[in-house]
Amino acid sequence: MKFSIGDKIVMKRTGEEGRVVAIVNKKMVEVEVAGTVFPVYNDDVDHPYLKWFTEKKSVQKKSAMPVQLPVEKLPATTRRMAKGAYLSFIPEFRTDDMEEMVSHVKVFLLNELPVNIRFVYDVRMAERSLFRLEGGLHAFGNIYLHSIPYAEMNDQPRFNWTLTAPDETMAEGIVRIKPAKLFEHITSIQQGNEPSFSYLLAAELKEKKKPEPMYEQPVAIGPSKTIGQSKHTAEQPRYELDLHIEQLRSNSKGLSNAEIIKIQLDTLERYLHLAIMHRLERMIVIHGLGKGKLRDEVHAMLKATPEVGRYKNEWSGRYGFGATEVTFRY
């Protein structure tokens, strides 16, 4: 290992000095420079002893004629991520029986927007909060939030987030990573020699909506129609959610079965979140019959949502067996 925790280092490009605070993997370490902690490749840092020796010699040497040193060609800079705010995850590896295993996952908030933001971050598991932090982040900055054990990542914690800009525009949502997807991410970054994987939270912040007045539960006319929505459809919960793809996309031609399922489950997750935010008592999810794949995926998501008290897929005159009734608990 080229570096150990506590070693003094110098950044090759900038000449800034710092120290090693963590070993990410065989090719990367985490360093602290001027109070900021961030990951770097081993090739981008060096031990500072040669720099100290060179500076000492240059002070002692008295030369009347300055020496023109060859200009070093700077390496190509790493391309910035696309505009937006991201939640970034860096796996920490440990060696167990000559095999690298993930022990913890470090979580960072990245602001690739041209404005300062305020954030509220809350990681929840079942009915409890694992970690919560509120603060500010300047434009094109990043902040280390916390470290979470890999075993807890397999329990699918919910990463709740809210971002607000000085002009009161905002965005909010939840990130939840399934165990199979987490394993896929880690395998991908190992194969691609990348330090982390990231989730885009928001490409831009939107104007904060004024609170809508309370309204009565709407009466649905048909199994594929939802009545009583305001003009801010995306911001309102639905008491009846139809997941048939033709209700979600005007043109679904060319979509694979996997893509259709993803669209349907993403829609369900979004409206579950809205229902919980508005503290709805119940909700009808229309999934149809088919081969039962969508129904099983819907039930799996409902089972993993702590706010869902119970759900039942029983025959009814309106839906047959093609819908599930959800009852929430708070």
Side-chain angles (χ1 to χ4, degrees), residues 110-164:
L110 312 181
N111 180 20
E112 293 297 327
L113 295 167
V115 295
N116 299 342
I117 59 173
R118 297 286 303 174
F119 66 87
V120 178
Y121 173 81
D122 187 18
V123 184
R124 303 192 66 83
M125 183 86 74
E127 300 297 332
R128 64 189 179 94
S129 175
L130 301 180
F131 178 83
R132 178 182 172 87
L133 182 66
E134 298 184 25
L137 187 57
H138 60 78
F140 303 108
N142 64 76
I143 184 172
Y144 167 66
L145 297 172
H146 66 118
S147 179
I148 182 169
Y150 183 74
E152 291 189 3
M153 287 291 292
N154 282 325
D155 293 333
Q156 299 186 58
R158 291 172 295 152
F159 299 89
N160 299 267
W161 56 271
T162 302
L163 308 175
T164 308

Side-chain angles (χ1 to χ4, degrees), residues 3-7 19-23:
F3 298 99
S4 301
I5 295 177
D7 284 357
R19 64 186 183 89
V20 177
V21 296
I23 305 299

Side-chain angles (χ1 to χ4, degrees), residues 17 47 109 116-117 280 286 307 315 322:
E17 295 185 18
H47 293 288
L109 178 62
N116 299 342
I117 59 173
L280 299 191
I286 303 171
E307 293 83 0
W315 188 90

Side-chain angles (χ1 to χ4, degrees), residues 186-207:
I186 293 175
T187 302
S188 177
I189 64 175
Q190 284 181 307
Q191 293 174 348
N193 196 26
E194 296 292 337
S196 65
F197 62 91
S198 301
Y199 278 77
L200 174 64
L201 304 182
E204 60 181 2
L205 304 185
K206 300 180 180 180
E207 183 179 354

Side-chain angles (χ1 to χ4, degrees), residues 24-255:
V24 177
N25 54 40
K26 293 181 179 180
K27 297 184 179 181
M28 295 192 68
V29 295
E30 262 191 8
V31 300
E32 179 184 1
V33 176
T36 302
V37 177
F38 52 92
V40 296
Y41 287 101
N42 291 346
D43 293 340
D44 293 334
V45 295
D46 206 347
H47 293 288
Y49 310 119
L50 177 61
K51 177 175 178 280
W52 295 344
F53 177 78
T54 304
E55 288 177 347
K56 183 176 180 181
K57 294 291 288 184
S58 63
V59 170
Q60 293 176 348
K61 184 178 180 180
K62 296 181 179 179
S63 175
M65 296 293 293
V67 178
Q68 178 64 42
L69 298 176
V71 178
E72 179 185 2
K73 185 177 180 180
L74 293 176
T77 57
T78 303
R79 184 180 179 183
R80 275 195 178 277
M81 302 174 75
K83 178 182 175 182
Y86 296 80
L87 209 55
S88 186
F89 300 85
I90 299 181
E92 286 187 290
F93 293 88
R94 60 178 172 82
T95 303
D96 188 5
D97 294 332
M98 304 301 292
E99 183 179 358
E100 282 193 331
M101 307 289 291
V102 179
S103 59
H104 288 75
V105 177
K106 289 191 172 183
V107 188
F108 291 78
L109 178 62
L110 312 181
N111 180 20
E112 293 297 327
L113 295 167
V115 295
N116 299 342
I117 59 173
R118 297 286 303 174
F119 66 87
V120 178
Y121 173 81
D122 187 18
V123 184
R124 303 192 66 83
M125 183 86 74
E127 300 297 332
R128 64 189 179 94
S129 175
L130 301 180
F131 178 83
R132 178 182 172 87
L133 182 66
E134 298 184 25
L137 187 57
H138 60 78
F140 303 108
N142 64 76
I143 184 172
Y144 167 66
L145 297 172
H146 66 118
S147 179
I148 182 169
Y150 183 74
E152 291 189 3
M153 287 291 292
N154 282 325
D155 293 333
Q156 299 186 58
R158 291 172 295 152
F159 299 89
N160 299 267
W161 56 271
T162 302
L163 308 175
T164 308
D167 61 358
E168 297 301 319
T169 54
M170 68 171 298
E172 61 183 1
I174 299 175
V175 173
R176 180 182 290 168
I177 309 174
K178 294 183 178 180
K181 193 65 176 178
L182 177 62
F183 180 78
E184 180 183 325
H185 284 314
I186 293 175
T187 302
S188 177
I189 64 175
Q190 284 181 307
Q191 293 174 348
N193 196 26
E194 296 292 337
S196 65
F197 62 91
S198 301
Y199 278 77
L200 174 64
L201 304 182
E204 60 181 2
L205 304 185
K206 300 180 180 180
E207 183 179 354
K208 186 184 295 184
K209 303 296 181 182
K210 295 182 180 179
E212 296 288 337
M214 296 297 292
Y215 54 89
E216 297 292 328
Q217 176 171 329
V219 178
I221 294 177
S224 62
K225 296 182 180 179
T226 304
I227 309 303
Q229 298 176 39
S230 73
K231 61 183 179 180
H232 304 300
T233 304
E235 300 298 325
Q236 295 299 318
R238 294 187 182 181
Y239 293 95
E240 182 183 81
L241 177 62
D242 192 342
L243 293 180
H244 286 94
I245 190 62
E246 58 268 23
Q247 299 298 324
L248 308 179
R249 290 289 186 275
S250 58
N251 182 10
S252 59
K253 186 177 180 180
L255 292 176

